[in-house]
Amino acid sequence: MTSSAPAAVSASVLDLAPVVPVVVLEDAADAVPLARALVAGGLPAIEVTLRTAAALDAIRAIASEVPGAVVGAGTVLSPAHVTETVAAGARFLVSPGWTDALLDAMKASGVPFLPGVSTTSEVVALLERGITEMKFFPAEAAGGTAYLKALSAPLPQARFCPTGGVSLASAPSYLALPNVGCVGGSWMVPGDAVAAKDWARVERLAGEASALGRG
């Protein structure tokens, strides 16, 4: 990390907010107003996925222009992604899965990270490496709340951010589980609202998400 990069997140990513917006941006010019709307709605942790060419510029813009945001990088798939996103100002990293090389790079980055898991063996392998906070992906397809509830008894030390198919309606069921710290979702950043630059709608949806209880 360069000396000009933002300070690392001191608290757990899982505890920043009940919901982490998963953002896909085609135009980096939308990054700042979108992030400001999400922060105003009570969702400071923002995961910008590396699914578009605009992602790095979007992370850079949010990190430098939206002080209330804690911007992270999602869909981190390689050590190069780790280097590029942290240099751009990412303050946490999220991957859909992990390899030894990717895990080593994320651990060496100096910022919090959530490696993705979808099986018990993957969870145990991470616990063996001293990692207790993970992304559960794809949450709904991989077994949803029933699967996570089943994991909580034998593996209580593992905590998760379920992402993938989670909605405003299903999020409370996830958040009620003792091994879930937050959920990831994109329902508060619908594509039509972003295309129309309807930031007031994004802020309203973010407010609904941030108000979600835990049971």
Side-chain angles (χ1 to χ4, degrees):
M1 184 184 298
T2 65
S3 59
S4 60
V9 176
S10 57
S12 164
V13 176
L14 298 182
D15 298 325
L16 289 172
V19 179
V20 176
V22 178
V23 175
V24 180
L25 285 170
E26 300 291 342
D27 186 350
D30 291 331
V32 168
L34 177 66
R36 285 175 175 159
L38 291 171
V39 171
L43 300 181
I46 303 169
E47 176 188 334
V48 177
T49 69
L50 301 182
R51 301 179 193 177
T52 69
L56 282 176
D57 285 339
I59 291 170
R60 193 174 292 111
I62 295 170
S64 62
E65 299 182 46
V66 189
V70 180
V71 64
T75 322
V76 174
L77 301 177
S78 68
H81 278 170
V82 173
T83 301
E84 293 166 351
T85 55
V86 172
R91 296 170 64 189
F92 64 91
L93 307 171
V94 184
S95 67
W98 61 275
T99 65
D100 287 333
L102 178 57
L103 198 65
D104 287 344
M106 290 194 294
K107 289 178 72 173
S109 71
V111 300
F113 58 93
L114 296 174
V117 297
S118 60
T119 69
T120 306
S121 293
E122 291 170 323
V123 175
V124 172
L126 287 178
L127 291 175
E128 189 177 75
R129 290 162 171 79
I131 296 165
T132 59
E133 299 189 345
M134 312 164 196
K135 171 179 178 175
F136 180 56
F137 177 84
E140 287 291 287
T145 55
Y147 193 96
L148 287 174
K149 185 176 182 180
L151 288 182
S152 65
L155 303 171
Q157 64 272 54
R159 297 181 70 218
F160 302 95
C161 174
T163 307
V166 180
S167 67
L168 179 64
S170 64
S173 296
Y174 282 100
L175 293 170
L177 297 174
N179 56 350
V180 169
C182 65
V183 300
S186 57
W187 73 85
M188 74 297 298
V189 285
D192 59 341
V194 176
K197 304 186 189 304
D198 189 351
W199 311 127
R201 180 182 172 201
V202 171
E203 181 177 343
R204 176 178 59 79
L205 294 172
E208 293 176 353
S210 69
L212 289 174
R214 294 177 177 270

